[in-house]
Structure formats: structure tokens, C-alpha cells
Amino acid sequence: MFIYCFYGEKIMRKSMAIADEIYQIDWVHLTIKTQKSLYQIIIRARRPIKLTGLSLFTMKIETFGKIVKSAYSAYNLLKST
């Protein structure tokens, strides 16, 4: 589970960095068609790519922490009874 959450977080961060990298390009020397294409990519890159589990939760490190915390709480509850 940790691997899925780790790479889900990594994918989300990399996808958000795409817009910043495109913005750093020297736009003056590009054709109008290329500028429009890059602009559309920037608009799409504002929404990060997310790896989800069953469309219920996003795979990220925070989610993994919550799962471990819930599992530990359930373990302690079952252990005490």
C-alpha cells in the first residue's frame, strides 16, 4: 500500500510541475501554433493527475498515514476485548 501511495504522490507532484517547466520556456522564438498548444497544456496541468483507489480516495502519503492509523486503532480495540 505504501508503494502505491508513494508513487501516487510522486505522480501528482510531477504533473503539477509541468506547468512551471513550460512557463520557463523562451516563448518569443516559438510559432503561434506552438504557443497556443503550450498554453492549452498549461491550462490542463493546473489540475494534477491523481492516482485513486476505487475512486474513493487519492493515493498519497497522507492517505497512507490515515490507513495505518486506522489499522492500529482497530488492532488496539480488538486486542483490548
Side-chain angles (χ1 to χ4, degrees):
M1 188 67 171
F2 174 75
I3 293 172
Y4 292 120
C5 291
F6 176 76
Y7 283 109
E9 179 93 19
K10 201 170 190 175
I11 288 170
M12 193 166 34
R13 288 185 183 179
K14 292 280 185 180
S15 70
M16 290 180 1
I18 290 173
D20 294 332
E21 293 297 323
I22 292 174
Y23 187 75
Q24 299 299 324
I25 295 174
D26 187 17
W27 289 64
V28 177
H29 302 294
L30 301 175
T31 64
I32 299 297
K33 183 178 179 182
T34 306
Q35 289 177 359
K36 287 180 181 181
S37 297
L38 289 175
Y39 182 69
Q40 288 178 346
I41 293 171
I42 289 175
I43 289 172
R44 170 56 186 99
R46 287 185 195 167
R47 290 178 285 137
I49 298 170
K50 296 179 183 177
L51 183 63
T52 60
L54 300 173
S55 298
L56 297 175
F57 54 92
T58 303
M59 297 289 202
K60 52 187 177 178
I61 299 298
E62 179 184 336
T63 305
F64 178 74
K66 289 179 183 179
I67 291 170
V68 170
K69 189 176 180 179
S70 298
Y72 185 71
S73 296
Y75 169 76
N76 279 336
L77 179 67
L78 292 173
K79 186 179 173 184
S80 67
T81 58

